[in-house]
Coordinates of all heavy atoms in Angstrom, one line a residue:
Chain B
D965 N 128.2 76.9 -14.5 CA 129.0 75.7 -14.3 C 128.4 74.8 -13.3 O 128.4 73.5 -13.4 CB 130.4 76.1 -13.9 CG 131.2 76.7 -15.1 OD1 130.7 76.5 -16.3 OD2 132.3 77.2 -15.0
K998 N 139.8 78.3 -31.7 CA 140.8 78.3 -30.6 C 142.0 77.6 -31.1 O 143.2 78.0 -30.8 CB 140.2 77.6 -29.4 CG 141.1 77.6 -28.2 CD 141.0 78.8 -27.3 CE 141.9 78.7 -26.1 NZ 141.6 79.8 -25.1
T1002 N 145.7 79.1 -31.5 CA 146.9 78.7 -30.7 C 147.8 77.9 -31.6 O 149.0 77.6 -31.2 CB 146.5 77.8 -29.6 OG1 145.7 76.7 -30.1 CG2 145.7 78.5 -28.5
N1027 N 135.7 69.3 -22.3 CA 136.3 69.8 -21.1 C 137.8 69.5 -21.2 O 138.7 70.3 -20.9 CB 135.7 69.3 -19.8 CG 134.4 69.9 -19.6 OD1 133.9 70.7 -20.4 ND2 133.8 69.6 -18.4
L1028 N 138.1 68.2 -21.5 CA 139.5 67.7 -21.4 C 140.3 68.4 -22.5 O 141.4 68.8 -22.3 CB 139.5 66.2 -21.6 CG 139.1 65.4 -20.3 CD1 139.0 63.9 -20.6 CD2 140.0 65.7 -19.1
I1029 N 139.8 68.4 -23.8 CA 140.5 69.0 -24.9 C 140.7 70.5 -24.6 O 141.7 71.1 -24.8 CB 139.8 68.7 -26.3 CG1 139.8 67.2 -26.5 CG2 140.5 69.5 -27.4 CD1 139.0 66.8 -27.7
G1030 N 139.5 71.1 -24.1 CA 139.5 72.5 -23.8 C 140.6 72.9 -22.8 O 141.4 73.8 -23.0
N1031 N 140.7 72.0 -21.7 CA 141.8 72.2 -20.7 C 143.2 72.2 -21.4 O 144.0 73.0 -21.1 CB 141.7 71.2 -19.6 CG 140.7 71.6 -18.5 OD1 140.1 72.7 -18.6 ND2 140.5 70.8 -17.5
A1032 N 143.4 71.2 -22.2 CA 144.7 71.0 -22.9 C 145.1 72.2 -23.7 O 146.2 72.6 -23.7 CB 144.7 69.7 -23.7
L1033 N 144.1 72.8 -24.4 CA 144.3 74.0 -25.2 C 144.6 75.2 -24.2 O 145.4 76.0 -24.5 CB 143.1 74.3 -26.1 CG 143.0 73.3 -27.3 CD1 141.6 73.6 -28.0 CD2 144.1 73.4 -28.2
K1034 N 143.8 75.2 -23.1 CA 143.8 76.4 -22.2 C 145.1 76.5 -21.5 O 145.8 77.5 -21.5 CB 142.7 76.3 -21.3 CG 142.5 77.5 -20.4 CD 141.1 77.6 -19.8 CE 141.0 76.6 -18.7 NZ 139.6 76.6 -18.1
F1035 N 145.5 75.3 -20.9 CA 146.7 75.4 -20.0 C 148.0 75.1 -20.8 O 148.6 74.1 -20.7 CB 146.6 74.4 -18.8 CG 145.5 74.7 -17.9 CD1 144.3 74.0 -18.0 CD2 145.6 75.8 -17.0 CE1 143.2 74.3 -17.1 CE2 144.5 76.1 -16.2 CZ 143.3 75.4 -16.2
Q1036 N 148.3 76.0 -21.8 CA 149.4 75.8 -22.6 C 150.6 76.7 -22.1 O 150.4 77.6 -21.4 CB 149.1 76.2 -24.1 CG 148.6 77.7 -24.1 CD 148.3 78.1 -25.6 OE1 149.0 77.7 -26.5 NE2 147.3 78.9 -25.8
Q1037 N 151.8 76.2 -22.5 CA 152.9 76.9 -22.2 C 153.0 78.1 -23.1 O 152.7 78.0 -24.3 CB 154.2 76.0 -22.3 CG 154.1 74.8 -21.5 CD 155.4 74.4 -20.9 OE1 156.2 75.3 -20.6 NE2 155.6 73.1 -20.7
P1042 N 150.5 74.1 -28.7 CA 150.0 72.9 -28.0 C 150.0 71.6 -28.9 O 149.6 71.7 -30.1 CB 148.6 73.2 -27.5 CG 148.3 74.5 -28.0 CD 149.4 75.1 -28.8
I1044 N 148.4 67.9 -28.8 CA 147.5 67.1 -28.0 C 147.3 65.7 -28.6 O 147.1 65.6 -29.9 CB 146.1 67.8 -27.9 CG1 146.3 69.2 -27.2 CG2 145.1 66.9 -27.0 CD1 145.1 70.1 -27.4
D1063 N 148.9 66.1 -23.1 CA 149.2 67.4 -23.7 C 150.7 67.8 -23.3 O 151.3 67.2 -22.5 CB 148.2 68.5 -23.3 CG 148.2 68.7 -21.8 OD1 149.3 69.1 -21.3 OD2 147.1 68.5 -21.2
G1065 N 151.3 70.8 -22.0 CA 151.0 72.1 -21.4 C 151.8 72.3 -20.1 O 152.8 71.7 -19.9
I1066 N 151.2 73.2 -19.2 CA 152.0 73.5 -18.0 C 152.0 72.4 -17.0 O 152.8 72.4 -16.1 CB 151.4 74.8 -17.4 CG1 149.9 74.6 -17.1 CG2 151.6 76.0 -18.3 CD1 149.3 75.7 -16.2
R1082 N 140.7 75.5 -8.0 CA 141.6 76.0 -9.0 C 143.0 76.0 -8.5 O 143.3 76.2 -7.4 CB 141.2 77.4 -9.4 CG 139.8 77.6 -10.0 CD 139.4 79.1 -10.0 NE 140.4 79.8 -10.8 CZ 140.2 80.0 -12.1 NH1 139.1 79.6 -12.7 NH2 141.1 80.7 -12.9
H1084 N 145.2 77.7 -10.3 CA 145.8 79.0 -10.8 C 144.8 80.1 -10.5 O 143.6 79.9 -10.3 CB 146.0 78.9 -12.3 CG 146.9 77.7 -12.7 ND1 148.3 77.7 -12.5 CD2 146.6 76.5 -13.1 CE1 148.7 76.5 -12.8 NE2 147.7 75.7 -13.2
E1088 N 145.2 84.4 -14.4 CA 146.1 83.6 -15.3 C 145.3 82.8 -16.3 O 145.5 82.8 -17.5 CB 147.0 82.6 -14.5 CG 148.1 83.3 -13.8 CD 148.9 82.3 -12.9 OE1 149.7 81.6 -13.5 OE2 148.6 82.2 -11.7
Y1089 N 144.4 82.0 -15.8 CA 143.5 81.2 -16.7 C 142.1 81.3 -16.3 O 141.8 81.3 -15.2 CB 143.9 79.7 -16.6 CG 145.4 79.4 -17.0 CD1 146.4 79.3 -16.0 CD2 145.7 79.3 -18.4 CE1 147.7 79.1 -16.4 CE2 147.0 79.1 -18.7 CZ 148.0 78.9 -17.7 OH 149.3 78.7 -18.1
E1090 N 141.3 81.6 -17.3 CA 139.9 81.8 -17.0 C 139.3 80.4 -16.6 O 139.9 79.4 -16.7 CB 139.1 82.3 -18.3 CG 139.3 81.4 -19.5 CD 138.6 81.9 -20.7 OE1 138.2 83.1 -20.7 OE2 138.5 81.1 -21.7
G1091 N 138.0 80.5 -16.1 CA 137.3 79.2 -15.7 C 136.9 79.3 -14.3 O 137.4 80.1 -13.5
S1092 N 135.9 78.5 -14.0 CA 135.3 78.5 -12.6 C 135.8 77.4 -11.8 O 135.5 77.3 -10.6 CB 133.8 78.3 -12.7 OG 133.5 77.1 -13.4
G1093 N 136.6 76.4 -12.4 CA 137.1 75.3 -11.6 C 136.1 74.2 -11.4 O 136.1 73.4 -10.4
V1094 N 135.2 74.1 -12.4 CA 134.2 73.1 -12.3 C 134.4 72.0 -13.3 O 134.0 70.8 -13.2 CB 132.8 73.7 -12.5 CG1 131.7 72.6 -12.6 CG2 132.5 74.6 -11.3
G1095 N 135.2 72.3 -14.4 CA 135.3 71.4 -15.6 C 135.8 70.0 -15.2 O 135.1 69.1 -15.6

Side-chain angles (χ1 to χ4, degrees):
Chain B
D965 283 352
K998 183 86 180 192
T1002 55
N1027 286 5
L1028 287 173
I1029 296 168
N1031 272 359
L1033 289 173
K1034 186 161 75 181
F1035 297 103
Q1036 59 178 319
Q1037 303 217 32
I1044 302 165
D1063 62 59
I1066 57 169
R1082 299 167 58 93
H1084 307 279
E1088 285 176 79
Y1089 297 99
E1090 58 183 11
S1092 60
V1094 171

